[in-house]
Structure formats: C-alpha cells, structure tokens
Amino acid sequence: MVLLEASGLVKSFPKAGGSVEVLRGVDFRLDPGEAVAVIGPSGAGKSTLLNLLGALDRPDAGTIRLAAAHAAYPVGSTDREALTLPTRSLRAVTAWRRRVVGFVFQYHFLLPDFTALENLLLPVRLLREPQPADRERADSLLAAMGLTDRADHRPGELSGGEQQRVAVARAFMNRPRIVLADEPFGNLDRAKGAQLRDLLFALRDREGTALVIVTHDPELARQADRILELDGGRLRPVA
Ligand SMILES: Nc1ncnc2c1ncn2[C@@H]1O[C@H](COP(=O)(O)OP(=O)(O)OP(=O)(O)O)[C@@H](O)[C@H]1O
Ligand SMILES: [Mg+2]
C-alpha cells in the first residue's frame, strides 16, 4: 500500500528577470512506516520538495495523492477518502496536514512562552481541547525523549539538543502517518546529532511512522531505508 505518491511535480520561483525552475518533474512514493533520506546540493530544492509533500506549498504542476488517513480521521468523516493535492480545498488540506503530517525543522520553532509539555499539546489544540489521554501521550513522548524532568521548562531553559528533542516529540504528538524533517539535527554537534538520530528512529519503529528526512549527514542518510538524491530538478535513487 502506498501512503503518499507524487507524480511530475514542477515548481518554479520568480527571480530577477524571470524564474528558476527548481523541481522539473519529481516522482516520489512513500510506503507506510518507511524512512527515506533526501540528499542533494544546497539550493537543489530539498526544502521546496518537503513543503510540497507536507502541503505547506503547492506545485505548479503535478499531483500528490495521499492515502486515506486511516485511524487519523474519525469513522464517517468524508475526509477518509484519498486526497489529491492540489485540487482539494485549503480547508481540507489543512485538516489533513494537522492530523497526518508532523514537521521537524532545523530550528525548533518552539513557542518561547510555553513549557515543553505545553508545546507538545499545541498540535492537539489545533484539533480539539486536549483530553487526559493527550496529556498521557505527551508524557510518554517526553519520556521516550528522556525529557520527563524537563516537562515544565520553557525553551529558553533547555539546551539546544533538548529543544530539538521537544520539537521531535511535538512532531509525533498527533500520531502522524508521516514525519517530514528538514535538516533536523543540522544545528547540533556530532554526538548530540547521533543521539537524536537514534531517538527519532526508535520512535519511528515504535509508532510505524513514515519518515522523509532531508539531510547533509551521510550517517543519518545511511540509517534510512532508502536514499534519494535531488539534483538538476529531479529525484533519483542513490545506489
Ligand atoms: N519562496 C521562494 N522564493 C524565491 N525563490 C525561492 C523560494 N524558495 C526557494 N527558492 C529558491 O529555490 C531554490 C531551492 O531552494 P530550497 O530551499 O528548496 O533548496 P535546498 O535544497 O533546501 O537547499 P539547502 O540545502 O541550502 O537548504 C533556491 O535557489 C532558492 O533560492
Ligand atoms: Mg533546505
């Protein structure tokens, strides 16, 4: 079964005197639970591709087909049908994203005035008033990340590695089917990066979440099930 399938993605951006075609027909498929690393030179369009896959931006051409969201949607919801981007309404796409996709960026983007625990509950609040089960879920993720004793700390009171661990936990909070990570550990030193890499893959194994990780780190790429290289606007498998 395919979780997400992109075909013929084209994306250009305006630049002085014309436009630059960053993606020139990208095909990509993601199966449930698999981890895919995307490598490629700076400026190749890796972040652009992640933004399209996560429906943060729309392609100029091409389609992204998303499998029905499984348990992520309540039974009876019309959104259980397969979703094709970019033809669905913005509202449907936003609802899909909040339930099905988690994001980890190079910079953590935690809210500074909220504690680690409150930051974890934010993705839930976008969907509903948090329930006791959500609090248990947050506690369990903080424990998985070794952050139980940091739950009440604000981001400014956490180290860089701890902040990024909170960001990873937050990405998993709504039990997404897909976590998209853009240079997730690019700001950390080698040892911290390696530790977080192992925590991320342990969470993926525990929850069966598919991962798409953009990285310059060969060790992180090797830990994935497949490596793809984006170059010249196209995505190819790395032998
Ligand atoms: N919103 C935008 N407006 C104009 N140009 C953009 C925009 N976003 C990206 N680009 C251009 O598209 C190209 C690809 O950018 P992108 O950020 O996807 O590259 P990347 O592979 O993620 O690079 P890096 O490894 O440095 O993060 C670059 O030339 C960039 O300048
Ligand atoms: Mg980038």
Side-chain angles (χ1 to χ4, degrees):
M1 201 201 69
V2 181
L3 187 57
L4 179 153
E5 187 158 31
S7 322
L9 294 182
V10 174
K11 183 72 179 175
S12 300
F13 291 110
K15 77 167 201 200
S19 73
V20 50
E21 197 170 51
V22 177
L23 304 180
R24 303 165 174 243
V26 165
D27 300 321
F28 175 73
R29 78 172 257 180
L30 185 65
D31 290 333
E34 76 167 334
V36 177
V38 177
I39 61 172
S42 183
K46 304 180 297 298
S47 298
T48 302
L49 175 63
L50 272 201
N51 290 343
L52 297 184
L53 296 179
L56 292 173
D57 198 0
R58 288 176 174 230
D60 302 329
T63 57
I64 301 176
R65 280 187 57 78
L66 307 155
H70 312 284
Y73 283 105
V75 175
S77 159
T78 52
D79 286 330
R80 284 169 68 232
E81 301 305 316
L83 200 58
T84 303
L85 302 178
T87 52
R88 282 296 195 100
S89 71
L90 187 60
R91 197 188 152 102
V93 170
T94 302
W96 172 82
R97 184 196 309 120
R98 286 179 179 165
R99 288 178 171 81
V100 182
V101 187
F103 293 92
V104 184
F105 300 98
Q106 182 167 4
Y107 179 72
H108 58 72
F109 291 120
L110 299 173
L111 295 190
D113 295 334
F114 290 78
T115 66
L117 176 64
E118 289 163 349
N119 268 282
L120 254 67
L121 288 170
L122 283 172
V124 179
R125 285 187 191 285
L126 293 173
L127 299 175
R128 59 172 185 275
E129 194 52 35
Q131 308 293 309
D134 298 315
R135 172 67 203 266
E136 282 167 31
R137 167 83 177 152
D139 287 343
S140 140
L141 285 169
L142 286 170
M145 288 284 147
L147 289 169
T148 298
D149 58 354
R150 296 287 185 278
D152 297 327
H153 290 237
R154 293 196 172 77
E157 301 160 347
L158 298 170
S159 72
E162 288 168 343
Q163 290 167 351
Q164 203 59 346
R165 276 188 269 160
V166 176
V168 169
R170 183 181 56 180
F172 280 81
M173 188 60 206
N174 283 345
R175 301 182 193 278
R177 308 296 302 177
I178 308 170
V179 167
L180 301 174
D182 197 349
E183 285 289 346
F185 316 132
N187 275 330
L188 303 179
D189 69 36
R190 217 182 137 76
K192 291 241 168 48
Q195 182 198 31
L196 244 165
R197 201 168 71 217
D198 291 342
L199 287 169
L200 174 66
F201 276 86
L203 260 188
R204 175 301 277 246
D205 293 344
R206 180 177 108 175
E207 311 231 329
T209 319
L211 295 178
V212 183
I213 309 173
V214 167
T215 184
H216 287 109
D217 174 4
E219 282 181 51
L220 176 51
R222 271 199 298 276
Q223 214 156 332
D225 303 315
R226 282 193 286 143
I227 305 178
L228 302 174
E229 181 170 23
L230 186 62
D231 201 6
R234 293 185 191 275
L235 197 58
R236 297 180 200 81
V238 174

